[in-house]
């Protein structure tokens, strides 16, 4: 006995498009999201307003249509998915009282997005230092700029909307420091992908607010006692070793070095993974967004970070493929050729961006012995190096000896850095419980009737 | 409607719909927790529930992520 034809985990562009396509094909669909509103990180918006930005009108229309065709379970945190011969059981917690909720379904779409990939540097745990995505979430979702005088640093085009947004909100942006070099304009992937207008728009916004934009520069240390008061900004060589440095005063820093796809549920279910161009583990899918596990689909950033437009496209492809597969229709192609071709173009663009903005190994030279790598367990670089001296040869053995990644966040923040320090690419981490769950919630699961 | 919550006995204004973390940060309270081992100050970092740096006690419920918990009128927040 299964409740839904499809449960979609994640209410961003991929999840909403996937749920809607499947529901419009006649499937009984539930969409589950941890947040209070649909939108994910890209369309994150305040309670009192609608999403804004590229594609927002279409997203709002999709959400309206979805409300009448599917069950929306917002404020629901999914902490595990189980699979037996016939169905999936999705375990979640509802609301702040963390009431257990159990859903059963015939197929599952994982559209769980991504989170920032920060790099450690001295002082990065001082209050006032934010991930770039965190600064953006605070501004878009809450209407609060991270500071009055902000430095934006890291690599990749995401730094531009973060800086432009802060400047437009009245913050003084003391600089945008892009650790990689300035690409020849003609070579830039944003231009090649016909995104000239978007790139120029951010450039114009920064120029209007007189925000300095420096390539081959990065924040390599943050200083202060109770809160960041200034940062060391370094000029870098192409491998990110420091050539010279100066001090910039600020009361907040936003730092981002790309994104980490959230693939925990797919790994729990045994889906095959591969490494994307930037080294992140991602879920392997076919043109219908099918993973290697029957009836499990993935769309959006879990299949490789590619932005909102690609996420929506993959969501639609997944929804169509799921409807097709559940009807057990043999032959025929559920995903129209035009969707597949647009997807291929957007994926090529995403790959070009990842190749244009790599993380270079010189960041490790910014670290001091006492720089924390794992913020939760307060593990300094020296402890990780000791573990290597003791014979650890990979991130997992470093973790067992020195405890980075053993705390609250379970390595989501430090995992990339620990892997790099251990000399390997980040591996797909198996986390049997993907959200912390209280014993009280576990105890009450028995009383919950699956639906 | 905007309202207030109490943070360690101090009134902090909230714009309706805001998280506890956003209200604290907007009020100039940028750190509200110190770490177990070294007593380092911590506040918001990832802003989306991933990092757990912003843990706080809300109405007696411990270890809540301030960036995820929405503030409600009359909430009593205690920090460590």
């Amino acid at each position: 006995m299964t409740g839904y034809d499809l449960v979609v985990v994640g209410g961003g562009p991929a999840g909403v498009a996937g749920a809607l396509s499947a529901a419009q094909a006649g499937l009984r669909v539930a969409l589950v999201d941890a947040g209070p509103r649909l939108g994910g990180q890209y369309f994150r918006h305040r309670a009192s307003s609608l999403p804004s930005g590229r594609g927002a009108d279409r997203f709002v229309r999709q959400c309206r249509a979805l409300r009448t065709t599917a069950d929306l379970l917002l404020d629901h945190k999914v902490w595990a998915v189980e699979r037996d011969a016939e169905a999936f059981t999705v375990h979640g917690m509802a609301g702040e009282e963390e009431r257990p909720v159990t859903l059963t379904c015939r197929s599952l779409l994982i559209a769980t997005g991504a989170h920032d990939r920060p790099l450690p540097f001295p002082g990065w745990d001082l209050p006032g230092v934010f991930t770039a995505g965190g600064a953006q979430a605070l501004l878009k979702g809450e209407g609060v700029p991270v500071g009055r005088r902000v430095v934006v640093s890291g690599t990749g085009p995401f730094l531009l909307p973060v800086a432009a947004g802060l400047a437009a909100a009245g913050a003084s942006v003391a600089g945008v420091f892009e650790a990689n070099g300035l690409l020849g304009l003609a070579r830039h992937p944003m231009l090649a992908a016909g995104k000239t207008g978007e790139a120029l728009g951010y450039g114009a916004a920064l120029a209007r607010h007189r925000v300095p934009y420096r390539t081959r520069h990065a924040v390599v240390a943050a200083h202060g006692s109770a809160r960041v008061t200034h940062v060391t900004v370094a000029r870098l060589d192409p491998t990110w070793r420091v050539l010279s440095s100066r001090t910039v005063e600020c009361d907040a820093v936003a730092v981002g070095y790309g994104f980490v796809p959230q693939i925990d549920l797919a790994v729990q279910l045994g889906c095959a993974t591969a490494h994307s161009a930037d080294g992140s583990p991602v879920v392997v899918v076919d043109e219908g967004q099918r993973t290697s596990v029957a009836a499990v689909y993935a769309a959006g950033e879990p299949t490789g970070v590619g932005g909102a437009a690609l996420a929506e496209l993959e969501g639609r492809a997944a929804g169509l493929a799921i409807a097709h597969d559940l009807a057990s229709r043999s032959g025929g192609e559920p995903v129209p050729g035009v969707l597949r071709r647009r997807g291929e173009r957007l994926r090529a663009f995403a790959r070009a961006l990842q190749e244009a903005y790599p993380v270079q190994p010189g960041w490790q030279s910014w670290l001091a012995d006492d720089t924390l790598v794992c913020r939760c367990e307060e593990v300094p670089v020296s402890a990780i190096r000791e573990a290597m001296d003791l014979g650890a040869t990979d991130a997992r053995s470093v973790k067992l000896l020195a405890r980075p990644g053993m705390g609250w966040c379970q390595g989501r923040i430090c995992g990339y850095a620990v892997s790099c320090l251990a000399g390997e690419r980040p591996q797909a981490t198996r986390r049997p419980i993907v959200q912390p769950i209280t014993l009280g919630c576990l105890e009450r699961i028995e009383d919950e009737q699956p639906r | 409607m905007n309202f207030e919550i109490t943070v360690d006995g101090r009134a902090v204004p909230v714009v309706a719909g805001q998280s506890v973390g956003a209200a604290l940060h907007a009020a100039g309270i940028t750190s509200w927790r110190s770490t177990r081992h070294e007593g380092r100050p911590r506040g918001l970092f990832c802003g989306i529930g991933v990092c757990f740096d912003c843990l706080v006690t809300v109405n007696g419920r411990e270890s809540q992520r301030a960036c995820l918990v929405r503030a409600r009128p009359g909430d009593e927040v205690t920090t460590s």
Side-chain angles (χ1 to χ4, degrees), chain A residues 70-273:
Chain A
D71 288 349
L72 284 185
L73 303 173
L74 298 172
D75 273 321
H76 280 61
K77 297 177 183 124
V78 172
W79 59 270
V81 177
E82 290 177 293
R83 176 169 178 261
D84 65 25
E86 278 149 38
F88 298 96
T89 306
V90 179
H91 295 286
M93 293 174 282
E96 280 166 27
E97 73 278 15
E98 302 190 332
R99 177 172 49 83
V101 172
T102 306
L103 307 175
T104 58
C105 53
R106 298 164 70 196
S107 50
L108 186 75
L109 173 57
I110 295 164
T112 41
H115 58 77
D116 270 273
R117 179 168 62 194
L119 293 178
F121 54 87
W124 74 307
D125 66 322
L126 269 176
V129 180
F130 280 76
T131 64
Q136 185 79 328
L138 198 62
L139 187 63
K140 279 165 71 170
E142 314 277 355
V144 178
V146 279
R148 278 192 279 274
R149 186 173 159 82
V150 189
V151 169
V152 179
S153 177
T155 194
F158 181 57
L159 302 180
L160 299 173
V162 172
L166 285 166
S172 155
V173 179
V176 179
F177 301 106
E178 162 61 60
N180 278 303
L182 184 64
L183 297 153
L185 266 186
R187 280 201 305 129
H188 197 284
M190 283 187 85
L191 306 185
K195 299 203 174 214
T196 317
E198 192 177 343
L200 290 178
Y202 293 133
L206 296 184
R208 194 165 59 243
H209 293 285
R210 298 182 201 292
V211 174
Y213 179 81
R214 301 274 179 272
T215 57
R216 294 233 192 283
H217 280 73
V219 168
V220 298
H223 314 280
S225 51
R227 178 178 189 170
V228 61
T229 53
H230 54 293
V231 292
T232 302
V233 173
R235 193 162 65 82
L236 305 174
D237 78 5
T239 68
W240 296 8
R241 286 188 164 270
V242 173
L243 297 173
S244 60
S245 68
R246 64 191 163 96
T247 297
V248 175
E249 283 185 19
C250 59
D251 63 356
V253 190
V255 190
Y257 287 91
F259 299 95
V260 179
Q262 301 201 129
I263 62 168
D264 302 301
L265 294 175
V267 175
Q268 257 182 17
L269 291 165
C271 300
T273 61

Side-chain angles (χ1 to χ4, degrees), chain A residues 75 96 146 375 377-378, chain B residues 19 25 35-36 53 61 70:
Chain A
D75 273 321
E96 280 166 27
V146 279
R375 303 163 67 98
E377 289 294 308
E378 297 173 80
Chain B
S19 68
H25 196 83
T35 60
R36 272 181 306 161
D53 267 354
R61 300 171 64 88
R70 263 157 298 146

Side-chain angles (χ1 to χ4, degrees), chain B residues 13-34:
Chain B
V14 177
V15 176
Q18 269 179 342
S19 68
V20 168
L24 264 67
H25 196 83
I29 305 170
T30 51
S31 77
W32 49 82
R33 182 173 85 82
S34 37

Side-chain angles (χ1 to χ4, degrees), chain A residues 382-409:
Chain A
S382 58
I384 288 170
R385 292 192 176 134
E386 271 165 36
M388 304 288 288
D389 290 344
L390 285 169
T393 52
D394 57 16
R396 186 176 159 74
S397 45
V398 169
K399 174 174 163 175
L400 294 175
L401 289 170
R403 297 189 61 83
M406 298 276 263
W408 274 101
C409 92

Side-chain angles (χ1 to χ4, degrees), chain A residues 22-63:
Chain A
Q24 285 176 338
L27 301 192
R28 189 164 138 65
V29 178
L31 182 146
V32 190
D33 192 90
R37 293 178 283 283
L38 292 175
Q41 300 308 331
Y42 183 77
F43 286 124
R44 198 175 173 106
H45 58 106
R46 299 179 66 178
S48 56
S49 64
L50 288 174
S52 58
R54 279 175 171 263
D57 290 348
R58 194 170 64 248
F59 183 74
V60 170
R61 282 198 301 276
Q62 290 173 347
C63 293

